[in-house]
Amino acid sequence: MKTVCIVGGGIAGLSAAWRLQQIRPDVQVTLLEASERVGGKLRTERICAPEGDYVCEAGAESFVRRTPDLWRMVCELGLDGAADAAHDAVGMHLVKNGVTHPVPTSPAAFLKTPLLSLRGKLRMMSEPFRAARCDGADESMAKFVTRRFGREALDELLGPIFGGIYNADPEVQSVLAVLPSLHEAERVHGSVVRGMLRKSARDASSALPASPTPRGAFAFSGGVDVFVDALRARLTCDVRTNAPVLGLRAGERITARLRDEEMTVDAVILATSASVAAKLTAEISADASERLAQIRQQPIGTVVLAWRTADVPLDRCMRGVVIPRRERRRIDAVLFASHKRPSCAPAGYTLLRVFFGGADASMPALAESPLLQAIRDELRDLFGITAPPLHAHLNCWQDGFVNATVGHHRRVEKIAKLLPSAIRRTGASYHGVGVADCVREAQQCVDQWIASDAF
Ligand SMILES: Cc1cc2nc3c(=O)[nH]c(=O)nc-3n(C[C@H](O)[C@H](O)[C@H](O)COP(=O)(O)OP(=O)(O)OC[C@H]3O[C@@H](n4cnc5c(N)ncnc54)[C@H](O)[C@@H]3O)c2cc1C
């Protein structure tokens, strides 16, 4: 019987275990998770207060259906009824010179938006007529957006949106890693706009009632823990928490060193961040380990804050606000959680999620009291919120978002060649940070291992 050890019980590790259980139940799987719970960045926290319960997500909260593997897994677990539409693009706003403006989502709104000058809009509209670059080479997100849509679009609209989503600097971020569908649209259709229009026409025709993958983003109204708990409960393999792997050795088989024992297996699937994988592979390949360490992670913090709705002067149509770095504020984005999902706060109360760590890298290192004060100052200036919050809950992810810089894919391919084929890597550090990307890639990682000579 083949044995495999999965290191890391985030969504990547759990998905790899699920895939193995489904297609090769004869493989003996041990999943080792360092912390006291599985789920990694999928974690729900509940604030139980006299006025009622708040359901807060500490990490990911809404998920795309366009990569079908995640949605398929949700259905396999019987949770499709627990998922609600997330409508992420609706009600998104951008701050410009201290004022919030809706992000245009229709041609008419685009023509009217004050986020861009007439010249900037005309330049954006000329995108389908611009010469295309079809060599498939990587470049920075900033260069790509400027080449296709113009500098103003980068500075005022697309840069802030994409930079906000990935908490990253567009000047260094790899377009191939971060916006592969836009890059592909240019390569195949000669224009991003043309490619996206064709894709949405295709999606519309495939979203017939019989389609297994309906469109649009979704969230779990009861919290993402519902999904993690269901997945954990259905896994039949040996899942161990509080079980950090401290190092790996390669001989004829692979040996994982734990706190009190060693485990020798036929293969290891590393489903941790690249920085952890760098440490674990140091004894096996110094070269691979060094390259893994070059894939850096940006710390990101979130705070959930609750108020009486009467105390916060907010437009209920606002679902989220991205604050571009050029505004020189100390926070990066605000999600109006209870505007998006009213069930996450008691009736008459409002729940916001504030993201920080990108524009002001010193924020995650602040002590709780000055940090909360800095966030309250920003919310007062931007939204006129002066009342103290009733509840505040902080989370800081040191390995928050991967900084996939230009050349990221080539770096990842090289790492794969430097490690024995019995050591596989998966997770947000490699081929996309979104949960749907992590699920897809973990399942592919399993399929490739099974199809390889190492199996
Ligand atoms: C604040 C925030 C908001 C986000 N929002 C969204 C969103 O709305 N939608 C979306 O699609 N994505 C979102 N993301 C991104 C997404 O949540 C992550 O990219 C994804 O969950 C990462 O999954 P993973 O399994 O690769 O890594 P992780 O979730 O980081 O899991 C890795 C696991 O490995 C464990 N581990 C580490 N070292 C060891 C060791 N030595 N031995 C054993 N185990 C170890 C860790 O404890 C952890 O549980 C968000 C991320 C953050 C930080």
Side-chain angles (χ1 to χ4, degrees):
M1 184 190 270
K2 290 279 178 192
T3 51
V4 61
C5 166
I6 299 174
V7 184
I11 189 59
L14 292 171
S15 306
W18 180 247
R19 180 72 173 168
L20 274 165
Q21 180 171 314
Q22 295 214 304
I23 62 169
R24 290 304 300 244
D26 55 318
V27 173
Q28 188 184 317
V29 180
T30 308
L31 188 148
L32 301 169
E33 163 55 42
S35 71
E36 71 286 350
R37 59 173 287 284
V38 293
K41 296 191 183 79
L42 301 190
R43 190 171 85 217
T44 308
E45 283 162 356
R46 288 179 171 76
I47 301 175
C48 302
E51 66 272 19
D53 291 356
Y54 297 86
V55 180
C56 324
E57 301 297 9
E61 68 169 78
S62 62
F63 311 97
V64 296
R65 256 184 276 229
R66 80 184 125 69
T67 336
D69 311 75
L70 169 63
W71 181 245
R72 195 178 305 124
M73 196 153 98
V74 169
C75 297
E76 284 162 0
L77 294 169
L79 291 177
D80 34 328
D84 297 333
H87 303 303
D88 270 357
V90 181
M92 283 306 293
H93 287 62
L94 265 184
V95 176
K96 183 173 181 177
N97 301 328
V99 180
T100 53
H101 301 281
V103 172
T105 51
S106 69
F110 174 76
L111 291 175
K112 278 195 261 162
T113 183
L115 289 168
L116 293 164
S117 69
L118 177 62
R119 193 189 168 95
K121 289 176 194 171
L122 291 172
R123 172 64 182 86
M124 277 191 85
M125 288 192 290
S126 72
E127 193 275 341
F129 312 105
R130 300 265 155 187
R133 207 180 121 177
C134 302
D135 58 8
D138 199 5
E139 63 189 318
S140 71
M141 196 205 290
K143 271 196 185 146
F144 176 83
V145 171
T146 306
R147 206 164 47 66
R148 296 308 312 168
F149 298 101
R151 185 74 212 185
E152 195 179 327
L154 173 76
D155 292 341
E156 307 296 336
L157 190 65
L158 302 178
I161 293 174
F162 296 138
I165 292 173
Y166 297 101
N167 199 23
D169 179 359
E171 298 292 340
V172 294
Q173 205 70 353
S174 148
V175 69
L176 257 182
V178 171
L179 299 172
S181 56
L182 304 198
H183 187 268
E184 181 72 356
E186 179 189 30
R187 201 179 60 75
V188 175
H189 301 282
S191 148
V192 174
V193 170
R194 246 191 330 265
M196 298 320 267
L197 288 175
R198 297 233 172 111
K199 186 177 176 312
S200 51
R202 256 197 331 270
D203 286 354
S205 61
S206 70
L208 297 170
S211 166
T213 55
R215 289 177 302 150
F218 65 95
F220 293 95
S221 41
V224 71
D225 268 4
V226 171
F227 172 56
V228 175
D229 292 346
L231 185 50
R232 168 75 185 84
R234 291 275 296 277
L235 285 177
T236 53
C237 64
D238 180 10
V239 177
R240 301 189 200 171
T241 49
N242 294 309
V245 174
L246 306 175
L248 296 174
R249 251 188 357 256
E252 264 181 37
R253 299 169 79 211
I254 311 292
T255 300
R257 189 157 44 84
L258 280 78
R259 268 201 213 110
D260 307 316
E261 61 173 308
E262 292 200 331
M263 187 181 284
T264 299
V265 287
D266 296 307
V268 167
I269 296 178
L270 284 174
T272 63
S273 61
S275 52
V276 172
K279 290 188 192 121
L280 298 184
T281 54
E283 282 180 44
I284 295 174
S285 163
D287 207 357
S289 168
E290 204 175 294
R291 284 166 202 262
L292 281 162
Q294 285 166 5
I295 302 176
R296 299 207 182 279
Q297 265 103 358
Q298 165 101 16
I300 176 170
T302 67
V303 60
V304 174
L305 299 158
W307 287 269
R308 258 179 225 96
T309 299
D311 290 340
V312 281
L314 294 171
D315 174 355
R316 294 214 47 97
C317 298
M318 247 191 222
R319 301 283 173 90
V321 174
V322 175
I323 302 135
R325 290 183 184 194
R326 59 155 159 68
E327 291 289 314
R328 304 201 175 282
R329 311 288 340 182
R330 304 190 73 185
I331 58 177
D332 305 317
V334 181
L335 282 188
F336 299 88
S338 54
H339 294 187
K340 284 171 75 171
R341 284 187 297 125
S343 61
C344 73
Y349 292 82
T350 292
L351 192 70
L352 302 193
R353 259 185 107 193
V354 179
F355 293 70
F356 54 88
D360 182 346
S362 70
M363 289 280 277
L366 290 181
E368 181 162 339
S369 164
L371 175 61
L372 285 177
Q373 190 53 53
I375 288 168
R376 282 192 59 198
D377 291 346
E378 295 297 307
L379 295 177
R380 184 200 55 223
D381 290 358
L382 288 165
F383 307 112
I385 300 175
T386 51
L390 300 171
H391 311 284
H393 201 292
L394 273 167
N395 263 294
C396 207
W397 303 97
Q398 283 310 321
D399 61 347
F401 273 127
V402 66
N403 256 333
T405 52
V406 178
H408 180 77
H409 279 182
R410 210 158 337 124
R411 211 167 293 128
V412 170
E413 274 168 31
K414 181 78 185 160
I415 291 165
K417 288 190 184 130
L418 290 168
L419 285 170
S421 66
I423 298 184
R424 306 263 154 181
R425 300 132 318 275
T426 188
S429 293
Y430 308 107
H431 292 290
V433 293
V435 170
D437 298 315
C438 295
V439 171
R440 184 204 57 222
E441 206 225 333
Q443 301 199 347
Q444 280 173 3
C445 169
V446 166
D447 294 353
Q448 284 163 6
W449 172 57
I450 285 171
S452 76
D453 296 344
F455 186 72

